[in-house]
Amino acid sequence: MTTCNARARSRMAAVLLAGAVMAGACTSDQPGAPLFREGPFTITGLPGDSVLLLGSTTQLHAVAPDGADDVKEVDVAWSTSDREVATITDGGLLRGVGLGTADVIATSDEGVVAHAISVRFGIRLPGRDDDDEDAVTTSLLGGAVRIRVPPGAVAEDAVLHMRPATEVAGSPLLVEGTAFEFGPAGLRIESPLTLWLAYPNTVATGDRPRLRIHRFDGDGWREVPGGGVEMNEGRARADLDRLGTFAVLRRAPPVALSMAGGNGQEAPTGSAVPIAPSVVLRNASQQPVADIAVRFEVTGGGGSIEGGDTGLSDADGVATLPGAWRLGQAMGANSLRAVAVGFDLASVTFVATAIDPPPEIRLSVPEVNFDTFVDGDAPDPRFVNITNAGGQQLVGLSLGPIQYSTVPGWLSVSLSQAVAPATLTLSVASTGVPPGSHEAFVPVRSSAPGVKPETLHVQLGMHVATVSRLEITRQLDGAVSGHVATTQPMVELQASSGSIVRSADGFVTASLADGDGTLRGTTSVPAQDGVATFTDLRVDGGGGHRLRFSYEGIHRNGAEFDVEQLLAQLVIQRQPGGAEEDEQFDDQPVILLIDEAGLLVRESGREVTVSVAAGDGALRGSLTRTADQGVVRFNNLRIAGAIGFHRLRFATSNPDVSVLSVPFLVWPD
């Protein structure tokens, strides 16, 4: 019995020593997987990935085997190869004091063991150093580097770090002093991190619009897609979906400007060509060059550019005339030149031919609609321009007899040829027209030979201003528990004819007609011009739901929609405890699956897996359990093969969410 108790005490001492070493390793804020040098003893407590954050500490130990199952601590002399990078006390407390690399050296009578570490800046994560649930921005090196980490972008137990890149591939386009390495490499990123890198004032003003953040991919620098430059702030910006070495590089300048499209067109005199002229810019490697300004200017034919004359090249290097190239009034050749602004490149000239316009009447709109109420105010007049196909004034215009589908004389029409172009003015002659839909057809003629007449179609919707029904013109959609729905509903107050009662006022109220969730947001909104538009409705809870809209005793149910529950966190309702070695825990853990609204995720089929996060024992029992209405209950877990303190990790996949239990003690049987 005495021998057995001594062995148990020896095993307990080994467990407690390992626990102390593990606790020291965790001071680097990342669970370590120590890397060892061969030697008579081993250094434990080294930080994960051999990266120590600047200003942080970790407790090191030198240990050697002591029998088959035990270890003993070795008395060593501690030192570092560079005290300006890292210092270590006689007791083995390692501290990062400056950026760089250094060897940690342990010396004993039996020999020397060394391990290389890198001291780097640490990058804050949301919710780690404070209660902030929003994105966290870290500013380093006096603002030379800024990085924004949104919630949930990386795993909770991750440690992000950064250092200036000392060895990077050279490039004549690289802006000196802007290369930095971010780690750990291979870390999974769920949502993009935003990186800003400042560039020095020595960068020429003309080069600054073409600065972009690039990533080194082993064989060269590649531009990070979707980035940009904030010239007012003096920095470049990009969204990162992985870590590595990043720097600011100048985009390769264009060396050639060539025609892309829009040459050789025909259009009637005085009208615009149908296809906007465009050019393409390429660099010396024949790659397209984006964000280069190209100015277009008329050089012949007497035409003009209506609208913008300067276009910016897109990701394909194509710059298009933003305005319209309107040809001159004389038939014949017209020309347009494109020039790359700020670059000494050969210009490109486009040619178009102005032809005689066909003799036909063109109305600026083919149809005019009026909408009003009985005994209400008359709607505003409408105006229709009349030209030929080339947009020019026509002579000898007149109106034919107006044809009415119902009530004659409800439309008043006048023709003015004293303005260019000629204009028709239309108005409702009387609001006493009976409720309903009314039509009028107005023929427009010209005395010029060969000109075909044209007919204008005019409609009047006359209705009584009484709301008799609700029409849901936009249904709620994109509902996620805890989030405002991406598509908000819109409800029209309509008369029995289907016309909107624009004079109606009051509030439209939304409520839940079906579903177990909770409707939140502004549920009563005022009608504006007969339309109620909701802006911030959300439903907390999962499954099928349906909204009901109400206005002064009138109700209308919306379409059924599903509310998605996104798993946001795992909560340990009951911690593991009461653990005797190789015996089932007295307190079996209970895990809650919580969505972003703080509610149970009741979707069936979700599984939670448990594993050992800290401690040397083997976890036995049913390690994967399926949630029932958002609750997972483990019932037969036990620890075999080790005593001492342990810690469990509970995790799900798709999405990857995990939570650590509090430490609990496993005692001998």
Side-chain angles (χ1 to χ4, degrees), residues 446-464:
S446 172
S447 60
V451 177
K452 296 187 298 182
E454 186 60 273
T455 300
L456 178 67
H457 182 203
V458 186
Q459 297 187 89
L460 169 65
M462 182 67 70
H463 45 268
V464 178

Side-chain angles (χ1 to χ4, degrees), residues 561-583:
F561 60 93
D562 285 325
V563 181
E564 183 181 6
Q565 285 188 287
L566 301 180
L567 179 61
Q569 61 177 323
L570 301 180
V571 174
I572 302 177
Q573 186 184 49
R574 185 168 65 202
Q575 297 281 351
E580 186 175 345
E581 183 183 10
D582 210 21
E583 294 290 335

Side-chain angles (χ1 to χ4, degrees), residues 173 210 250-256 282-285 287 289 292 343:
L173 303 176
R210 297 188 292 112
R250 300 172 178 86
R251 282 179 164 176
V255 299
R282 300 187 183 278
N283 59 25
S285 301
Q287 297 299 313
V289 182
I292 302 298
F343 296 91

Side-chain angles (χ1 to χ4, degrees), residues 80-97:
T80 65
S81 62
D82 190 341
R83 292 183 57 81
E84 292 186 357
V85 174
T87 62
I88 191 167
T89 66
D90 293 341
L93 184 63
L94 180 66
R95 182 184 301 274
V97 296

Side-chain angles (χ1 to χ4, degrees), residues 141-443:
L141 296 173
V145 177
R146 291 181 63 196
I147 187 165
R148 178 180 180 271
V149 182
V154 297
E156 291 182 359
D157 57 354
V159 176
L160 300 187
H161 47 75
M162 182 279 289
R163 68 170 180 175
T166 56
E167 297 180 4
V168 295
S171 170
L173 303 176
L174 179 66
V175 177
E176 185 176 356
T178 64
F180 299 92
E181 178 185 342
F182 296 84
L187 178 68
R188 179 174 178 176
I189 297 177
E190 300 295 340
S191 55
L193 317 181
T194 303
L195 174 65
W196 292 270
L197 296 179
Y199 54 82
N201 292 331
T202 54
V203 176
T205 302
D207 287 344
R208 296 179 184 181
R210 297 188 292 112
L211 298 179
R212 293 294 185 274
I213 292 179
H214 289 62
R215 184 182 189 276
F216 189 73
D217 281 338
D219 59 348
W221 292 98
R222 299 288 184 272
E223 182 178 331
V224 180
V229 61
E230 300 172 354
M231 289 187 289
N232 291 338
E233 303 294 334
R235 60 194 184 187
R237 175 194 53 76
D239 291 333
L240 313 183
D241 58 7
R242 53 180 171 162
L243 301 180
T245 299
F246 297 88
V248 178
L249 277 75
R250 300 172 178 86
R251 282 179 164 176
V255 299
L257 179 72
S258 58
M259 191 175 295
N263 189 43
Q265 301 183 74
E266 288 186 349
T269 56
S271 63
V273 295
I275 301 173
S278 59
V279 295
V280 62
L281 296 107
R282 300 187 183 278
N283 59 25
S285 301
Q286 293 301 303
Q287 297 299 313
V289 182
D291 300 325
I292 302 298
V294 176
R295 185 177 65 251
F296 296 83
E297 53 189 15
V298 174
T299 56
S304 62
I305 295 176
E306 293 184 356
D309 63 358
T310 302
L312 201 65
S313 58
D314 59 18
D316 296 322
V318 176
T320 303
L321 173 65
W325 179 19
R326 189 171 294 278
L327 305 184
Q329 296 296 333
M331 292 187 294
N334 286 248
S335 58
L336 180 77
R337 181 171 59 194
V339 178
V341 178
F343 296 91
D344 187 18
L345 306 179
S347 61
V348 172
T349 298
F350 297 84
V351 176
T353 303
I355 60 176
D356 192 21
E360 58 180 285
I361 293 175
R362 291 288 179 90
L363 304 176
S364 57
V365 292
E367 184 176 289
V368 172
N369 295 307
F370 291 96
D371 187 60
T372 189
F373 298 97
V374 175
D375 298 326
D377 295 331
D380 294 333
R382 305 288 195 270
F383 303 95
V384 178
N385 294 332
I386 307 172
T387 64
N388 65 9
Q392 299 163 323
Q393 183 83 333
L394 281 168
V395 298
L397 290 175
S398 62
L399 302 178
I402 300 175
Q403 297 181 355
Y404 295 95
S405 62
T406 53
V407 181
W410 66 261
L411 179 64
S412 174
V413 184
S414 63
L415 170 64
S416 174
Q417 299 186 67
V419 294
T423 303
L424 284 178
T425 302
L426 305 101
S427 59
V428 177
S430 171
T431 57
V433 180
S437 179
H438 309 279
E439 294 180 309
F441 301 90
V442 184

Side-chain angles (χ1 to χ4, degrees), residues 478-500:
V480 177
S481 180
H483 291 266
V484 173
T486 56
T487 301
Q488 293 289 318
M490 183 180 294
V491 180
E492 289 184 357
L493 308 182
Q494 293 186 353
S496 58
S497 63
S499 300
I500 300 175

